[in-house]
Amino acid sequence: MTSTRRQRTGPRGGDTRGDILRAARESFGEKGYDTTSMRAVARAAGVDVALVSYYFGSKDQLFAATMELPVSPSELIDRAFDAGVDEAGPRLVDTFLRLWDDPETGPAFVALFRSAASHEPSREMFAESISTAIVNRYATHLPDHSTRRASLAASQLIGLAVLRYIMKLTPVVEMTRDELVADAGPTLQRYLTGPLTD
Amino acid sequence: MTSTRRQRTGPRGGDTRGDILRAARESFGEKGYDTTSMRAVARAAGVDVALVSYYFGSKDQLFAATMELPVSPSELIDRAFDAGVDEAGPRLVDTFLRLWDDPETGPAFVALFRSAASHEPSREMFAESISTAIVNRYATHLPDHSTRRASLAASQLIGLAVLRYIMKLTPVVEMTRDELVADAGPTLQRYLTGPLTD
């Protein structure tokens, strides 16, 4: 095991796999799938291109690995519902914005979103992962298990993320997380438990 | 004037400039800025590449032209406020979704959004145009001219567009426009005129 471990840590003795993933997320996010090469990712991560192949195989597989979220959404969602569905709205906004504000996880979400918006295979993966990991998870906590309520909630969250972290629209960038929670929390709450159309 | 006009209509006698713009929007939207070439746009539009240069100059200028919206947002926004600010919420959702549902304007919005999400110069143009043409226009109709209220409203709209037209999330795709207006209209209304944090 020791020799495997030594090999896995790579020439710089750090988290080589993680370094490659970070470089890949950045490149897929900034330059898109087509213009990202294994070689360029290796260069950005400061490793030999053979190591990129060693850890991830093909560019497609590397890309799929970058789509794995750096946190478990289902765990975070469950926690937001801890105090009951009647208080989950503002808590979901807070949880969601914390992930995007966090310097560890935020850039990965930005890169994921950018890829999904511009590259069809990653759109499919992204839609599938929003659907199963987020919308369906919300729905399990709702009295009527409505994926429609859950999707409406997701639409408000993704809209905030788009304006704040992707398009960087001034008023939304300048608001504090607490202000956004206070303003958008009731929207989520209404979508989750309020009266809607049939 | 007649000879200019004849030249402008191009070899196929149709709307050559419009054909090029449509092909360019599609290519920038699907393949991104970097992998789109003037030559490929010309091919897709069925014209000689010299005509693309003739109408638009450089690739940068062609790109800027594709960012011009095919409708006047300010006019549509003003109309949504015609019946007064207290009824504008649902009307704005309806107006917005109609643009994206429309086979004439929808694809242009999808292409615009995709470019803006993946290409920094177009993000800047897109953010600038959301800011001036939409958010500031909303704000002029609000009692307190709050760009913060206007941005929150925009966040809900863009979130619906992202899930329905970009990521194509099933529950949101399957909802009718009227259902979305009924569910999201009150959200917009609250952002525009309801009680918010200071």
Side-chain angles (χ1 to χ4, degrees):
Chain A
M1 279 312 278
T2 316
S3 76
T4 310
R5 188 172 286 238
R6 198 175 298 136
Q7 192 180 12
R8 286 197 155 252
T9 57
R12 292 186 307 173
D15 171 22
T16 305
R17 190 178 183 280
D19 290 344
I20 295 169
L21 268 184
R22 268 185 290 278
R25 281 201 180 101
E26 201 170 312
S27 180
F28 286 127
E30 307 226 316
K31 301 195 289 180
Y33 181 85
D34 289 334
T35 24
T36 292
S37 69
M38 300 276 274
R39 193 164 297 279
V41 169
R43 209 179 306 123
V47 302
D48 192 89
V49 67
L51 267 180
V52 180
S53 306
Y54 169 76
Y55 284 120
F56 298 98
S58 67
K59 178 166 133 179
D60 254 8
Q61 291 171 298
L62 173 61
F63 181 73
T66 66
M67 298 286 292
E68 287 159 22
L69 297 177
V71 288
S72 156
S74 44
E75 233 180 271
L76 292 172
I77 291 169
D78 292 350
R79 233 182 290 155
F81 279 93
D82 261 357
V85 66
D86 292 327
E87 293 177 34
R91 292 183 66 170
L92 284 170
V93 180
D94 185 67
T95 301
F96 180 80
L97 293 175
R98 274 176 200 279
L99 283 177
W100 289 76
D101 280 334
D102 187 320
E104 272 298 302
T105 49
F109 282 103
V110 170
L112 269 179
F113 184 88
R114 285 203 177 130
S115 295
S118 57
H119 175 237
E120 178 59 20
S122 63
R123 180 200 66 75
E124 281 172 31
M125 280 194 269
F126 190 76
E128 176 59 28
S129 90
I130 299 184
S131 178
T132 57
I134 302 178
V135 170
N136 291 351
R137 194 77 180 191
Y138 282 6
T140 62
H141 290 281
L142 301 181
D144 53 4
H145 300 287
S146 163
T147 55
R148 179 163 150 192
R149 286 182 179 278
S151 310
L152 286 166
S155 80
Q156 174 59 87
L157 293 180
I158 205 80
L160 286 176
V162 165
L163 292 192
R164 187 172 168 94
Y165 308 101
I166 309 286
M167 301 305 170
K168 296 175 187 152
L169 208 75
T170 311
V172 182
V173 170
E174 287 176 351
M175 287 173 75
T176 65
R177 188 164 59 225
D178 285 347
E179 287 171 334
L180 287 166
V181 168
D183 289 344
T187 297
L188 273 274
Q189 195 59 54
R190 180 174 149 270
Y191 289 151
L192 297 178
T193 57
L196 294 181
T197 57
D198 291 328
Chain B
M1 278 311 280
T2 316
S3 75
T4 310
R5 188 170 287 235
R6 197 174 300 136
Q7 191 178 15
R8 286 197 155 251
T9 58
R12 295 184 307 172
D15 171 21
T16 305
R17 191 177 182 280
D19 290 344
I20 296 170
L21 267 185
R22 269 184 290 276
R25 282 202 180 100
E26 202 171 310
S27 180
F28 286 128
E30 307 226 317
K31 302 195 289 178
Y33 181 85
D34 289 333
T35 24
T36 292
S37 69
M38 300 276 275
R39 194 163 296 278
V41 168
R43 209 179 306 121
V47 302
D48 192 272
V49 66
L51 268 180
V52 181
S53 304
Y54 169 76
Y55 284 121
F56 298 99
S58 67
K59 177 167 135 182
D60 253 9
Q61 291 169 300
L62 172 61
F63 181 74
T66 66
M67 299 286 293
E68 287 159 22
L69 297 176
V71 289
S72 156
S74 43
E75 232 178 273
L76 292 172
I77 291 169
D78 291 350
R79 233 181 291 155
F81 280 93
D82 261 359
V85 66
D86 292 327
E87 294 176 32
R91 295 185 63 169
L92 283 171
V93 180
D94 186 67
T95 302
F96 179 81
L97 292 175
R98 273 177 200 278
L99 284 177
W100 289 76
D101 281 333
D102 187 321
E104 270 298 300
T105 48
F109 282 104
V110 171
L112 268 179
F113 185 87
R114 285 205 177 127
S115 296
S118 58
H119 176 237
E120 178 59 21
S122 63
R123 181 200 66 75
E124 281 172 31
M125 281 194 269
F126 190 76
E128 176 60 29
S129 90
I130 297 184
S131 178
T132 56
I134 301 177
V135 171
N136 291 350
R137 194 78 180 191
Y138 282 7
T140 62
H141 290 282
L142 301 180
D144 53 5
H145 300 285
S146 164
T147 55
R148 181 164 149 190
R149 286 182 180 278
S151 312
L152 287 165
S155 80
Q156 175 59 88
L157 293 179
I158 204 82
L160 287 176
V162 165
L163 292 192
R164 187 172 168 93
Y165 308 101
I166 309 285
M167 302 303 171
K168 298 177 185 147
L169 208 75
T170 310
V172 182
V173 170
E174 287 176 350
M175 287 174 74
T176 65
R177 189 164 58 226
D178 284 348
E179 288 171 334
L180 287 166
V181 169
D183 288 345
T187 298
L188 271 275
Q189 196 58 55
R190 181 174 148 268
Y191 288 152
L192 297 179
T193 56
L196 296 179
T197 56
D198 291 326

